[in-house]
Amino acid sequence: MENQPPRGPLSQLALRFISGKYQGGEFPLAENREIVIGRSSDLDMVLVEDMVSRKHARIACTDVEIAIEDLNSTNGTFVNGEKIKRSTLKEGDRVLIGTSILKVVLSDQTSGTGRRQTGGEAPRNQPGKTMSGAIDEIPLPDLLQLLGTSKKSGILVVQSDEDIGKIVMRKGQIVFASINDLEEVPPLKSVYRILTWTTGTFSLEPYDEHPIEGEIDASVQEILMEGLRQIDELNNLRHRLPDLDARVLLVHPLVASLRKLSPVDLDVLQLAINFGHVATILNKSPATDLETAETMLKLIAQQYLQVE
């Protein structure tokens, strides 16, 4: 079977900067063309930043494929979160070079609103702009995978319509997280909650790598595997859970035996006695949202708690 060309005619594809100081710029791809990317001013695509090597990567376009090759760069070239030596690109793929994330897209030239860049330095947005973008365009799991694999350090600030989340990264490891700077929500629980956000903006801010009280030490891959599993299982429980603004109260008189409860059960029971509101119990529980929700449902089913 003959090789099939990438989705969309090559003459209509482009690399669009969706993050970094060149965000919003677009660089067209064309058949039978080679594009060399790097910091040197005589290259086809010039990215002026310290994390980009003088000659960083090469993209070769033919009539059947778009191939990208790393040119032994210091900080590497990444495609969809994986460090590559050579890879092929198709529409929708994301490439990380330095602090710039580029996405293979259908060029705006097709609608007459193109931002064509024929060569030389990539189009700038704002001088000195941090790595930033929209999580609508690059989902958080993909973004974290890119930052983790490329061993980035910084504070990933994610802003949704209602909340501000911060994920602190040190050389690709997640060491801390918070939502609205709430101290009562543990870091790991905060990361898992932020992963559920699907709209909003992000920026990677500088971080001096000083120690933080309550640090965690987890790879992005570990966080994603466990976090996405918990999110799926929690979504399956949501139809059984009381509303977040509902109250759960201790059953009185209490017939069920307290001796049968585990330490986690007792923690959730005590939180219900002290605070009552479901949202507060979820926030203050040292267990994850999934564990807390499962425990709450268990205590209700076994008649320790009742929904008001």
Side-chain angles (χ1 to χ4, degrees):
M1 181 180 292
E2 294 182 358
N3 288 331
Q4 296 298 314
R7 191 158 47 102
L10 282 177
S11 60
Q12 296 178 13
L13 293 179
L15 287 170
R16 179 177 297 162
F17 288 81
I18 62 174
S19 176
K21 65 181 179 180
Y22 304 110
Q23 184 181 339
E26 201 168 275
F27 199 103
L29 300 170
E31 295 179 19
N32 303 311
R33 179 182 181 187
E34 182 177 274
I35 302 163
V36 180
I37 305 167
R39 203 171 65 242
S40 180
S41 61
D42 60 346
L43 301 182
D44 305 291
M45 184 191 295
V46 182
L47 304 180
V48 184
E49 59 170 287
D50 292 340
M51 292 190 68
V52 175
S53 296
R54 196 170 165 275
K55 285 189 176 180
H56 197 106
R58 177 190 295 116
I59 295 177
C61 305
T62 70
D63 56 353
V64 295
E65 70 173 13
I66 304 168
I68 184 168
E69 177 188 4
D70 183 77
L71 299 178
N72 297 316
S73 64
T74 301
N75 293 299
T77 301
F78 301 83
V79 176
N80 297 329
E82 297 293 331
K83 189 172 186 178
I84 60 100
K85 179 60 181 174
R86 184 188 185 280
S87 181
T88 56
L89 298 175
K90 62 182 183 303
E91 186 185 343
D93 283 346
R94 298 180 181 92
V95 178
L96 174 66
I97 296 177
T99 62
S100 294
I101 302 175
L102 304 93
K103 184 177 182 180
V104 182
V105 299
L106 281 175
S107 173
D108 284 345
Q109 286 289 314
T110 59
S111 61
T113 59
R115 293 167 282 190
R116 187 173 181 84
Q117 182 74 13
T118 57
E121 185 173 343
R124 285 183 181 269
N125 191 355
Q126 297 176 9
K129 186 173 182 179
T130 59
M131 184 177 184
S132 60
I135 59 176
D136 311 58
E137 190 156 25
I138 176 165
L140 280 172
D142 294 357
L143 177 61
L144 284 171
Q145 192 170 24
L146 283 170
L147 297 177
T149 310
S150 56
K151 301 187 183 305
K152 290 285 193 293
S153 295
I155 302 175
L156 182 64
V157 180
V158 186
Q159 184 159 358
S160 69
D161 293 337
E162 300 177 350
D163 301 296
I164 297 177
K166 297 177 183 177
I167 300 175
V168 182
M169 304 191 71
R170 185 185 298 137
K171 297 178 180 176
Q173 295 286 104
I174 295 176
V175 297
F176 194 77
S178 65
I179 297 176
N180 299 328
D181 295 322
L182 290 174
E183 294 183 359
E184 64 182 11
V185 183
L188 203 54
K189 183 183 292 188
S190 296
V191 177
Y192 294 156
R193 288 188 182 181
I194 295 170
L195 281 175
T196 66
W197 300 357
T198 56
T199 61
T201 60
F202 73 85
S203 61
L204 186 66
E205 307 294 344
Y207 165 56
D208 60 13
E209 301 193 19
H210 66 276
I212 302 173
E213 185 177 351
E215 281 191 10
I216 57 178
D217 184 16
S219 70
V220 169
Q221 200 61 31
E222 291 170 337
I223 292 286
L224 291 180
M225 288 180 64
E226 179 61 18
L228 296 177
R229 180 193 70 81
Q230 290 200 21
I231 289 168
D232 285 343
E233 294 191 20
L234 189 56
N235 285 336
N236 291 333
L237 293 178
R238 287 199 183 279
H239 69 286
R240 297 167 50 200
L241 286 172
D243 292 337
L244 290 177
D245 57 359
R247 289 179 60 85
V248 288
L249 306 175
L250 184 69
V251 172
H252 184 79
L254 183 62
V255 176
S257 173
L258 293 174
R259 292 181 180 178
K260 296 181 180 179
L261 298 182
S262 70
V264 174
D265 296 337
L266 290 170
D267 284 344
V268 174
L269 185 67
Q270 184 172 359
L271 288 170
I273 293 170
N274 290 344
F275 301 101
H277 282 100
V278 172
T280 306
I281 295 170
L282 287 168
N283 281 345
K284 289 185 173 293
S285 171
T288 65
D289 284 339
L290 176 61
E291 292 170 319
T292 305
E294 289 174 334
T295 301
M296 199 182 309
L297 288 173
K298 170 186 170 181
L299 293 173
I300 293 171
Q302 295 181 358
Q303 298 186 331
Y304 291 93
L305 296 175
Q306 59 186 349
V307 183
E308 186 179 45

Short mmCIF file of all heavy atoms in Angstrom, two decimals, residues 29-87:
data_model
loop_
_atom_site.label_atom_id
_atom_site.label_comp_id
_atom_site.label_asym_id
_atom_site.label_seq_id
_atom_site.Cartn_x
_atom_site.Cartn_y
_atom_site.Cartn_z
N LEU A 29 4.44 25.46 5.84
CA LEU A 29 5.16 24.29 5.36
C LEU A 29 4.81 24.12 3.88
O LEU A 29 3.74 24.49 3.43
CB LEU A 29 4.75 23.03 6.14
CG LEU A 29 5.03 23.07 7.64
CD1 LEU A 29 4.36 21.89 8.34
CD2 LEU A 29 6.52 23.09 7.92
N ALA A 30 5.70 23.56 3.13
CA ALA A 30 5.46 23.35 1.70
C ALA A 30 6.18 22.10 1.26
O ALA A 30 7.17 21.69 1.85
CB ALA A 30 5.94 24.56 0.89
N GLU A 31 5.66 21.48 0.20
CA GLU A 31 6.29 20.28 -0.32
C GLU A 31 7.70 20.57 -0.84
O GLU A 31 7.97 21.66 -1.35
CB GLU A 31 5.43 19.71 -1.45
CG GLU A 31 4.07 19.21 -0.98
CD GLU A 31 3.24 18.68 -2.12
OE1 GLU A 31 3.83 18.36 -3.16
OE2 GLU A 31 2.01 18.60 -1.98
N ASN A 32 8.57 19.57 -0.67
CA ASN A 32 9.95 19.66 -1.17
C ASN A 32 10.68 20.89 -0.63
O ASN A 32 11.34 21.63 -1.36
CB ASN A 32 9.96 19.67 -2.70
CG ASN A 32 9.27 18.44 -3.26
OD1 ASN A 32 9.56 17.32 -2.85
ND2 ASN A 32 8.35 18.66 -4.18
N ARG A 33 10.53 21.10 0.67
CA ARG A 33 11.20 22.23 1.30
C ARG A 33 11.85 21.75 2.60
O ARG A 33 11.30 20.91 3.30
CB ARG A 33 10.21 23.34 1.62
CG ARG A 33 10.86 24.54 2.30
CD ARG A 33 9.85 25.61 2.65
NE ARG A 33 10.52 26.75 3.27
CZ ARG A 33 9.89 27.79 3.80
NH1 ARG A 33 8.57 27.83 3.76
NH2 ARG A 33 10.56 28.77 4.35
N GLU A 34 13.04 22.29 2.90
CA GLU A 34 13.72 21.99 4.15
C GLU A 34 13.78 23.25 5.00
O GLU A 34 14.07 24.34 4.49
CB GLU A 34 15.13 21.47 3.88
CG GLU A 34 15.88 21.09 5.14
CD GLU A 34 17.25 20.51 4.85
OE1 GLU A 34 17.32 19.28 4.61
OE2 GLU A 34 18.22 21.29 4.85
N ILE A 35 13.45 23.10 6.28
CA ILE A 35 13.44 24.23 7.21
C ILE A 35 14.38 23.89 8.36
O ILE A 35 14.19 22.89 9.04
CB ILE A 35 12.02 24.48 7.77
CG1 ILE A 35 11.04 24.76 6.64
CG2 ILE A 35 12.03 25.64 8.77
CD1 ILE A 35 9.59 24.61 7.04
N VAL A 36 15.41 24.71 8.55
CA VAL A 36 16.34 24.52 9.66
C VAL A 36 15.98 25.54 10.74
O VAL A 36 15.82 26.73 10.46
CB VAL A 36 17.81 24.68 9.23
CG1 VAL A 36 18.74 24.47 10.42
CG2 VAL A 36 18.14 23.68 8.12
N ILE A 37 15.83 25.05 11.97
CA ILE A 37 15.38 25.86 13.09
C ILE A 37 16.51 26.00 14.10
O ILE A 37 17.21 25.02 14.41
CB ILE A 37 14.17 25.20 13.78
CG1 ILE A 37 13.05 24.94 12.78
CG2 ILE A 37 13.65 26.06 14.93
CD1 ILE A 37 11.97 24.02 13.31
N GLY A 38 16.70 27.20 14.62
CA GLY A 38 17.72 27.39 15.65
C GLY A 38 17.90 28.85 16.00
O GLY A 38 17.13 29.71 15.57
N ARG A 39 18.95 29.12 16.77
CA ARG A 39 19.20 30.47 17.24
C ARG A 39 20.02 31.29 16.26
O ARG A 39 20.02 32.53 16.31
CB ARG A 39 19.93 30.38 18.59
CG ARG A 39 19.78 31.60 19.46
CD ARG A 39 20.34 31.39 20.86
NE ARG A 39 21.79 31.19 20.85
CZ ARG A 39 22.38 30.07 21.27
NH1 ARG A 39 21.65 29.07 21.72
NH2 ARG A 39 23.69 29.94 21.24
N SER A 40 20.73 30.63 15.35
CA SER A 40 21.59 31.33 14.40
C SER A 40 20.76 32.19 13.44
O SER A 40 19.71 31.75 12.94
CB SER A 40 22.43 30.33 13.61
OG SER A 40 23.25 31.00 12.69
N SER A 41 21.22 33.39 13.18
CA SER A 41 20.42 34.36 12.40
C SER A 41 20.32 34.01 10.92
O SER A 41 19.51 34.60 10.20
CB SER A 41 21.03 35.76 12.54
OG SER A 41 22.37 35.77 12.05
N ASP A 42 21.11 33.06 10.43
CA ASP A 42 21.08 32.75 9.00
C ASP A 42 20.19 31.54 8.68
O ASP A 42 20.21 31.02 7.56
CB ASP A 42 22.50 32.50 8.47
CG ASP A 42 23.19 31.33 9.19
OD1 ASP A 42 22.68 30.90 10.24
OD2 ASP A 42 24.24 30.88 8.69
N LEU A 43 19.39 31.08 9.64
CA LEU A 43 18.56 29.89 9.44
C LEU A 43 17.18 30.26 8.91
O LEU A 43 16.81 31.44 8.85
CB LEU A 43 18.44 29.10 10.75
CG LEU A 43 19.76 28.62 11.36
CD1 LEU A 43 19.51 27.82 12.62
CD2 LEU A 43 20.57 27.80 10.35
N ASP A 44 16.42 29.24 8.55
CA ASP A 44 15.08 29.47 8.00
C ASP A 44 14.11 29.95 9.07
O ASP A 44 13.30 30.84 8.82
CB ASP A 44 14.54 28.16 7.38
CG ASP A 44 15.49 27.59 6.35
OD1 ASP A 44 15.63 28.22 5.28
OD2 ASP A 44 16.11 26.55 6.62
N MET A 45 14.14 29.34 10.27
CA MET A 45 13.30 29.77 11.38
C MET A 45 14.21 30.07 12.57
O MET A 45 14.87 29.18 13.08
CB MET A 45 12.27 28.70 11.78
CG MET A 45 11.32 29.17 12.87
SD MET A 45 10.31 27.83 13.59
CE MET A 45 9.32 27.36 12.18
N VAL A 46 14.24 31.33 12.97
CA VAL A 46 15.14 31.78 14.03
C VAL A 46 14.36 31.96 15.32
O VAL A 46 13.41 32.75 15.37
CB VAL A 46 15.84 33.10 13.65
CG1 VAL A 46 16.82 33.51 14.75
CG2 VAL A 46 16.56 32.97 12.31
N LEU A 47 14.76 31.21 16.36
CA LEU A 47 14.15 31.33 17.68
C LEU A 47 15.21 31.87 18.63
O LEU A 47 16.16 31.16 18.96
CB LEU A 47 13.63 29.97 18.17
CG LEU A 47 12.64 29.24 17.26
CD1 LEU A 47 12.22 27.92 17.90
CD2 LEU A 47 11.42 30.11 16.99
N VAL A 48 15.06 33.11 19.01
CA VAL A 48 16.08 33.78 19.82
C VAL A 48 15.79 33.55 21.30
O VAL A 48 15.05 34.30 21.93
CB VAL A 48 16.14 35.28 19.51
CG1 VAL A 48 17.28 35.94 20.29
CG2 VAL A 48 16.32 35.51 18.02
N GLU A 49 16.35 32.47 21.85
CA GLU A 49 16.25 32.21 23.28
C GLU A 49 17.35 31.24 23.68
O GLU A 49 17.86 30.46 22.87
CB GLU A 49 14.87 31.65 23.64
CG GLU A 49 14.49 30.36 22.94
CD GLU A 49 13.24 29.76 23.54
OE1 GLU A 49 13.34 29.24 24.68
OE2 GLU A 49 12.18 29.81 22.91
N ASP A 50 17.71 31.30 24.97
CA ASP A 50 18.86 30.55 25.46
C ASP A 50 18.70 29.04 25.34
O ASP A 50 19.68 28.32 25.14
CB ASP A 50 19.13 30.91 26.93
CG ASP A 50 19.60 32.35 27.09
OD1 ASP A 50 20.06 32.92 26.08
OD2 ASP A 50 19.50 32.89 28.20
N MET A 51 17.47 28.52 25.45
CA MET A 51 17.27 27.07 25.45
C MET A 51 17.26 26.46 24.05
O MET A 51 17.14 25.26 23.89
CB MET A 51 15.96 26.72 26.17
CG MET A 51 16.00 27.01 27.66
SD MET A 51 14.58 26.35 28.53
CE MET A 51 14.90 24.59 28.37
N VAL A 52 17.40 27.30 23.04
CA VAL A 52 17.45 26.83 21.65
C VAL A 52 18.91 26.83 21.20
O VAL A 52 19.63 27.81 21.37
CB VAL A 52 16.60 27.73 20.73
CG1 VAL A 52 16.75 27.31 19.27
CG2 VAL A 52 15.14 27.67 21.16
N SER A 53 19.33 25.71 20.63
CA SER A 53 20.71 25.60 20.13
C SER A 53 20.87 26.41 18.85
O SER A 53 19.89 26.78 18.19
CB SER A 53 21.06 24.14 19.87
OG SER A 53 21.04 23.40 21.08
N ARG A 54 22.14 26.65 18.51
CA ARG A 54 22.44 27.44 17.30
C ARG A 54 21.78 26.80 16.08
O ARG A 54 21.13 27.46 15.29
CB ARG A 54 23.95 27.52 17.13
CG ARG A 54 24.39 28.59 16.17
CD ARG A 54 25.90 28.79 16.21
NE ARG A 54 26.29 29.56 15.04
CZ ARG A 54 26.53 29.03 13.87
NH1 ARG A 54 26.44 27.73 13.70
NH2 ARG A 54 26.87 29.79 12.84
N LYS A 55 21.97 25.49 15.89
CA LYS A 55 21.20 24.72 14.92
C LYS A 55 20.49 23.63 15.71
O LYS A 55 21.14 22.69 16.19
CB LYS A 55 22.11 24.13 13.84
CG LYS A 55 22.59 25.14 12.82
CD LYS A 55 23.29 24.46 11.65
CE LYS A 55 23.69 25.47 10.60
NZ LYS A 55 24.38 24.82 9.44
N HIS A 56 19.20 23.75 15.86
CA HIS A 56 18.47 22.93 16.81
C HIS A 56 17.76 21.74 16.14
O HIS A 56 17.86 20.61 16.60
CB HIS A 56 17.43 23.80 17.53
CG HIS A 56 16.89 23.18 18.79
ND1 HIS A 56 17.25 23.61 20.04
CD2 HIS A 56 16.02 22.16 18.98
CE1 HIS A 56 16.63 22.87 20.95
NE2 HIS A 56 15.88 21.98 20.33
N ALA A 57 17.04 22.00 15.07
CA ALA A 57 16.24 20.94 14.43
C ALA A 57 16.06 21.25 12.95
O ALA A 57 16.23 22.38 12.51
CB ALA A 57 14.89 20.79 15.12
N ARG A 58 15.71 20.20 12.21
CA ARG A 58 15.46 20.35 10.77
C ARG A 58 14.11 19.70 10.45
O ARG A 58 13.80 18.61 10.93
CB ARG A 58 16.57 19.67 9.96
CG ARG A 58 16.34 19.72 8.45
CD ARG A 58 17.33 18.84 7.70
NE ARG A 58 18.71 19.32 7.84
CZ ARG A 58 19.68 18.65 8.44
NH1 ARG A 58 19.41 17.45 9.00
NH2 ARG A 58 20.89 19.14 8.53
N ILE A 59 13.32 20.38 9.62
CA ILE A 59 12.06 19.82 9.14
C ILE A 59 12.17 19.67 7.63
O ILE A 59 12.50 20.64 6.92
CB ILE A 59 10.86 20.72 9.50
CG1 ILE A 59 10.69 20.77 11.02
CG2 ILE A 59 9.58 20.20 8.85
CD1 ILE A 59 9.58 21.69 11.48
N ALA A 60 11.93 18.47 7.13
CA ALA A 60 11.98 18.20 5.69
C ALA A 60 10.57 17.84 5.21
O ALA A 60 9.94 16.92 5.75
CB ALA A 60 12.94 17.06 5.39
N CYS A 61 10.08 18.57 4.23
CA CYS A 61 8.75 18.33 3.66
C CYS A 61 8.89 17.69 2.28
O CYS A 61 9.60 18.22 1.42
CB CYS A 61 7.98 19.64 3.54
SG CYS A 61 7.86 20.58 5.06
N THR A 62 8.24 16.56 2.10
CA THR A 62 8.19 15.92 0.79
C THR A 62 6.73 15.78 0.39
O THR A 62 5.83 16.25 1.09
CB THR A 62 8.86 14.54 0.83
OG1 THR A 62 8.05 13.64 1.60
CG2 THR A 62 10.25 14.61 1.44
N ASP A 63 6.50 15.10 -0.73
CA ASP A 63 5.12 14.95 -1.18
C ASP A 63 4.37 13.88 -0.39
O ASP A 63 3.16 13.70 -0.58
CB ASP A 63 5.07 14.64 -2.68
CG ASP A 63 5.88 13.41 -3.03
OD1 ASP A 63 6.57 12.88 -2.14
OD2 ASP A 63 5.81 12.97 -4.20
N VAL A 64 5.06 13.15 0.50
CA VAL A 64 4.38 12.10 1.26
C VAL A 64 4.48 12.27 2.77
O VAL A 64 3.74 11.64 3.51
CB VAL A 64 4.91 10.69 0.90
CG1 VAL A 64 4.59 10.36 -0.54
CG2 VAL A 64 6.41 10.58 1.17
N GLU A 65 5.39 13.12 3.27
CA GLU A 65 5.51 13.24 4.71
C GLU A 65 6.19 14.55 5.11
O GLU A 65 6.85 15.21 4.31
CB GLU A 65 6.30 12.08 5.31
CG GLU A 65 7.77 12.10 4.97
CD GLU A 65 8.57 11.02 5.72
OE1 GLU A 65 7.94 10.12 6.31
OE2 GLU A 65 9.82 11.11 5.71
N ILE A 66 5.99 14.89 6.39
CA ILE A 66 6.74 15.95 7.04
C ILE A 66 7.59 15.28 8.11
O ILE A 66 7.05 14.65 9.02
CB ILE A 66 5.81 16.99 7.69
CG1 ILE A 66 4.82 17.57 6.68
CG2 ILE A 66 6.63 18.12 8.33
CD1 ILE A 66 3.71 18.38 7.33
N ALA A 67 8.90 15.39 8.00
CA ALA A 67 9.80 14.74 8.96
C ALA A 67 10.56 15.80 9.73
O ALA A 67 11.02 16.79 9.18
CB ALA A 67 10.77 13.81 8.24
N ILE A 68 10.68 15.59 11.04
CA ILE A 68 11.46 16.50 11.89
C ILE A 68 12.61 15.72 12.50
O ILE A 68 12.45 14.56 12.91
CB ILE A 68 10.58 17.14 12.98
CG1 ILE A 68 11.40 18.15 13.79
CG2 ILE A 68 9.93 16.10 13.88
CD1 ILE A 68 10.56 19.04 14.70
N GLU A 69 13.78 16.34 12.55
CA GLU A 69 14.99 15.69 13.05
C GLU A 69 15.70 16.64 14.00
O GLU A 69 15.87 17.83 13.71
CB GLU A 69 15.92 15.37 11.87
CG GLU A 69 17.25 14.76 12.28
CD GLU A 69 18.20 14.65 11.09
OE1 GLU A 69 17.84 15.10 9.99
OE2 GLU A 69 19.31 14.10 11.29
N ASP A 70 16.08 16.12 15.17
CA ASP A 70 16.86 16.91 16.11
C ASP A 70 18.31 16.92 15.65
O ASP A 70 18.86 15.89 15.27
CB ASP A 70 16.75 16.32 17.51
CG ASP A 70 17.50 17.16 18.53
OD1 ASP A 70 16.97 18.21 18.92
OD2 ASP A 70 18.61 16.76 18.93
N LEU A 71 18.95 18.09 15.72
CA LEU A 71 20.33 18.23 15.24
C LEU A 71 21.30 18.24 16.43
O LEU A 71 22.12 19.13 16.56
CB LEU A 71 20.47 19.51 14.41
CG LEU A 71 19.59 19.57 13.15
CD1 LEU A 71 19.76 20.91 12.44
CD2 LEU A 71 19.90 18.41 12.21
N ASN A 72 21.16 17.21 17.28
CA ASN A 72 22.03 17.09 18.47
C ASN A 72 21.98 18.34 19.34
O ASN A 72 22.99 18.82 19.85
CB ASN A 72 23.47 16.78 18.06
CG ASN A 72 23.59 15.46 17.34
OD1 ASN A 72 23.01 14.46 17.76
ND2 ASN A 72 24.33 15.45 16.24
N SER A 73 20.78 18.87 19.52
CA SER A 73 20.60 20.08 20.32
C SER A 73 20.87 19.79 21.79
O SER A 73 20.77 18.65 22.25
CB SER A 73 19.18 20.62 20.15
OG SER A 73 18.23 19.69 20.67
N THR A 74 21.19 20.84 22.54
CA THR A 74 21.50 20.68 23.96
C THR A 74 20.27 20.28 24.76
O THR A 74 20.32 19.39 25.62
CB THR A 74 22.06 22.00 24.53
OG1 THR A 74 23.24 22.35 23.80
CG2 THR A 74 22.40 21.85 26.01
N ASN A 75 19.13 20.91 24.49
CA ASN A 75 17.94 20.69 25.30
C ASN A 75 16.89 19.80 24.64
O ASN A 75 15.84 19.55 25.21
CB ASN A 75 17.31 22.04 25.67
CG ASN A 75 18.20 22.84 26.60
OD1 ASN A 75 18.50 22.40 27.70
ND2 ASN A 75 18.64 24.00 26.14
N GLY A 76 17.16 19.34 23.43
CA GLY A 76 16.28 18.36 22.81
C GLY A 76 15.09 18.94 22.06
O GLY A 76 14.72 20.11 22.22
N THR A 77 14.50 18.08 21.23
CA THR A 77 13.28 18.39 20.47
C THR A 77 12.23 17.37 20.86
O THR A 77 12.51 16.18 20.96
CB THR A 77 13.56 18.32 18.96
OG1 THR A 77 14.61 19.25 18.63
CG2 THR A 77 12.31 18.66 18.15
N PHE A 78 11.00 17.82 21.09
CA PHE A 78 9.96 16.96 21.60
C PHE A 78 8.72 17.02 20.71
O PHE A 78 8.31 18.10 20.28
CB PHE A 78 9.57 17.38 23.03
CG PHE A 78 10.73 17.34 23.99
CD1 PHE A 78 11.62 18.41 24.07
CD2 PHE A 78 10.95 16.23 24.79
CE1 PHE A 78 12.69 18.37 24.94
CE2 PHE A 78 12.03 16.19 25.66
CZ PHE A 78 12.90 17.26 25.73
N VAL A 79 8.15 15.86 20.43
CA VAL A 79 6.92 15.77 19.64
C VAL A 79 5.88 15.04 20.47
O VAL A 79 6.09 13.90 20.89
CB VAL A 79 7.16 15.02 18.30
CG1 VAL A 79 5.85 14.85 17.55
CG2 VAL A 79 8.16 15.78 17.44
N ASN A 80 4.78 15.73 20.76
CA ASN A 80 3.69 15.16 21.56
C ASN A 80 4.20 14.58 22.88
O ASN A 80 3.77 13.52 23.33
CB ASN A 80 2.93 14.09 20.77
CG ASN A 80 2.27 14.66 19.53
OD1 ASN A 80 1.86 15.81 19.52
ND2 ASN A 80 2.17 13.85 18.49
N GLY A 81 5.15 15.30 23.49
CA GLY A 81 5.64 14.90 24.81
C GLY A 81 6.79 13.91 24.80
O GLY A 81 7.31 13.57 25.86
N GLU A 82 7.21 13.44 23.63
CA GLU A 82 8.30 12.47 23.55
C GLU A 82 9.54 13.11 22.95
O GLU A 82 9.46 13.78 21.92
CB GLU A 82 7.88 11.27 22.69
CG GLU A 82 6.71 10.47 23.25
CD GLU A 82 7.05 9.76 24.54
OE1 GLU A 82 8.23 9.40 24.72
OE2 GLU A 82 6.14 9.55 25.36
N LYS A 83 10.68 12.88 23.60
CA LYS A 83 11.94 13.39 23.05
C LYS A 83 12.29 12.54 21.83
O LYS A 83 12.26 11.32 21.88
CB LYS A 83 13.05 13.30 24.10
CG LYS A 83 14.33 13.99 23.69
CD LYS A 83 15.32 14.03 24.85
CE LYS A 83 16.55 14.85 24.48
NZ LYS A 83 17.51 14.93 25.62
N ILE A 84 12.61 13.22 20.74
CA ILE A 84 12.82 12.48 19.48
C ILE A 84 14.21 12.76 18.91
O ILE A 84 14.84 13.79 19.18
CB ILE A 84 11.74 12.84 18.43
CG1 ILE A 84 11.75 14.36 18.09
CG2 ILE A 84 10.38 12.43 18.93
CD1 ILE A 84 12.44 14.74 16.85
N LYS A 85 14.67 11.82 18.11
CA LYS A 85 15.81 12.04 17.23
C LYS A 85 15.29 12.36 15.83
O LYS A 85 15.74 13.28 15.17
CB LYS A 85 16.72 10.80 17.19
CG LYS A 85 17.93 10.96 16.27
CD LYS A 85 18.82 12.12 16.71
CE LYS A 85 20.01 12.30 15.77
NZ LYS A 85 20.79 13.49 16.10
N ARG A 86 14.30 11.56 15.42
CA ARG A 86 13.61 11.81 14.16
C ARG A 86 12.18 11.34 14.29
O ARG A 86 11.91 10.32 14.93
CB ARG A 86 14.28 11.08 12.98
CG ARG A 86 13.66 11.40 11.62
CD ARG A 86 14.21 10.52 10.51
NE ARG A 86 13.69 10.92 9.20
CZ ARG A 86 12.48 10.58 8.73
NH1 ARG A 86 11.66 9.80 9.48
NH2 ARG A 86 12.09 10.97 7.54
N SER A 87 11.25 12.08 13.71
CA SER A 87 9.85 11.70 13.78
C SER A 87 9.11 12.33 12.60
O SER A 87 9.61 13.29 11.98
CB SER A 87 9.23 12.19 15.09
OG SER A 87 7.87 11.80 15.18
#
